[in-house]
Amino acid sequence: MAEEGKLHIVLLPWFAFGHMIPFLELSKLLAQKGHKVSFVASPRNINRLPKTPPSFFPKLNFVEISLPHTEGLPENAEATADLPLDKIQYLKKAYDGLQQPLTRFLETSKPNWIILDFASYWLPPIAANLNISTAYFSVFTAPSHCFFGGSEHAFDRTEPEHYTVTPKWIPFPTSIRFRHYEILRLSDGFSENASGVSDLTRSFMTFDGCDLIALRSSFEFETEWLNLLQQLQRKPVIPVGFLPKKIDNDKEDADDTKSNSWKVIKKWLDKQVKESVLYIAFGSESTLSHAESTALAHGLEQSELPFLWALRNGKLPEGFEDRIRPRGLIWTSWAPQLRILSHDSVGGFLNHCGVSSVFEAIQMKKPMILLPLFLDQGLICRVLEEKKLGYPIPRDELDGSFTSESVAESVKLVMGEEEGKMYREKVKEMSGHFADHELQDRYINQFINHLQHHGCRLP
């Protein structure tokens, strides 16, 4: 028998780690408040998630639903990180095959709410038939959603150039728009793929079908964008905070591979001068072209700054590692990013404008050098530039190319020059909102309060 006033909430993320990890963090916060949480994913994805402390059980349950065999999808490929970009369409097709087994689970478990992702556009109608409310938890930013507009704007823009100007429905001054090269890299999301549904269509159908929209955000950070998104979507938009991680809760066993990685990295960082090291990382799924990685490497070399580069993909110029040793450390396996950013010797973060990386940088008071690569990262870059939280490496407007000189000049500006002081000061000023766990707790309480009072099936 359910506890009085307590909810049963099912969470179904899209199978990309940039989505699954925030969904897991939200799940843990809901479970901490005493609600029953069912986190649904494929078996291999569940096994690869960060280990959840025993204290969360039995409130937090992991529900395994296997992906159906799908032609074109390699065996054991269950997340976007397992696939090249051109194969992700087959993962979306397999993901759509979760409809029947998920429906059976919902029929027997009878949850109060389902928190879903952009990819499961087919879920709101299923939930409505079962008298279950739905919340779309978006890992994308409010400005990005506002840029694409409401349903009436979904297909107004028919040419790439239409996305290179700020849309007319944004009523306040902003520089948010795509560069020409960014929209060309994103154009695959506008067309049908092997699943038969474009990413744009998935997003708009999910927006239209859900009962509310939850965002990893706060009114302290982007009031005007959250208010505009609610106007555009005509339904409640509720920020859930930034889901900041506590480093102390991420300890590994002494013999764990991740713990050993941190020991090696920390030993190197401990030898460096305070705020002198540039940390470089582009997430687990972003890939630099050969020309980009070469320009970046030569730029780091020219900057003469100490740096730590978490390099998951890409080929370095011949002899580069020998020339930069011991000033630079190239790390090619898993890197404990939050721990690295928390270290006193790190003074800046060169990244791809991935949401989690951006939030962690602000939380740890690290100014950013920005190099957006795909998806909505270009839009995030514009917002960070407006807020003086990061400085974008200058690039060619048409093809996105950049020079080693622009890399060297950008990192030196942000890391130490007088002209970059505003970035260093602004990120420290803003960090309080991102690291404030009491503020985070208030946002989660407000979110839960809405779920408790506005669902189809009240607890």
Side-chain angles (χ1 to χ4, degrees), residues 2-216:
E3 298 177 54
E4 186 177 353
K6 297 300 182 183
L7 301 164
H8 178 198
I9 306 167
V10 173
L11 288 94
L12 175 67
W14 164 235
F15 292 166
F17 284 97
H19 293 241
M20 290 187 284
I21 300 299
F23 267 73
L24 178 60
E25 293 301 316
L26 180 59
S27 297
K28 288 156 64 175
L29 290 171
L30 294 171
Q32 279 182 329
K33 297 294 183 179
H35 302 279
K36 180 182 177 181
V37 177
S38 298
F39 185 100
V40 180
S42 66
R44 187 163 182 253
N45 283 330
I46 288 174
N47 288 335
R48 290 187 289 178
L49 289 171
K51 300 305 177 188
T52 302
S55 59
F56 287 96
F57 303 112
K59 291 297 182 183
L60 174 55
N61 302 292
F62 291 93
V63 179
E64 296 183 358
I65 299 183
S66 297
L67 287 165
H69 173 74
T70 303
E71 186 176 351
L73 184 66
E75 189 176 356
N76 294 323
E78 297 185 9
T80 56
D82 303 326
L83 297 162
L85 286 176
D86 64 333
K87 294 286 187 180
I88 292 176
Q89 58 182 319
Y90 301 106
L91 181 62
K92 292 188 175 82
K93 185 176 181 180
Y95 187 89
D96 292 343
L98 298 177
Q99 295 179 53
Q100 288 188 355
L102 183 64
T103 300
R104 290 194 293 269
F105 169 71
L106 296 174
E107 287 172 340
T108 57
S109 60
K110 296 180 171 59
N112 305 94
W113 281 86
I114 302 169
I115 298 178
L116 63 152
D117 211 331
F118 86 98
S120 46
Y121 69 98
W122 35 264
L123 188 48
I126 294 172
N129 288 336
L130 298 174
N131 199 35
I132 303 169
S133 301
T134 52
Y136 171 24
F137 175 44
S138 174
V139 303
F140 299 102
T141 67
S144 295
H145 283 306
C146 289
F147 181 85
F148 284 97
S151 296
E152 67 271 28
H153 310 117
F155 304 103
D156 286 353
R157 292 173 281 194
T158 56
E159 301 295 333
E161 290 72 21
H162 296 164
Y163 291 89
T164 61
V165 295
T166 301
K168 59 183 181 299
W169 53 82
I170 298 180
F172 43 81
T174 178
S175 63
I176 190 170
R177 66 179 182 87
F178 280 109
R179 304 290 190 250
H180 182 80
Y181 65 90
E182 291 169 343
I183 198 62
L184 292 182
R185 294 181 182 185
L186 187 63
S187 59
D188 286 349
F190 302 147
S191 56
E192 286 190 10
N193 50 53
S195 71
V197 184
S198 72
D199 292 347
L200 195 64
T201 299
R202 284 178 188 271
S203 295
F204 278 112
M205 290 184 70
T206 302
F207 267 125
D208 287 346
C210 69
D211 296 300
L212 71 87
I213 299 159
L215 282 174
R216 192 179 176 190

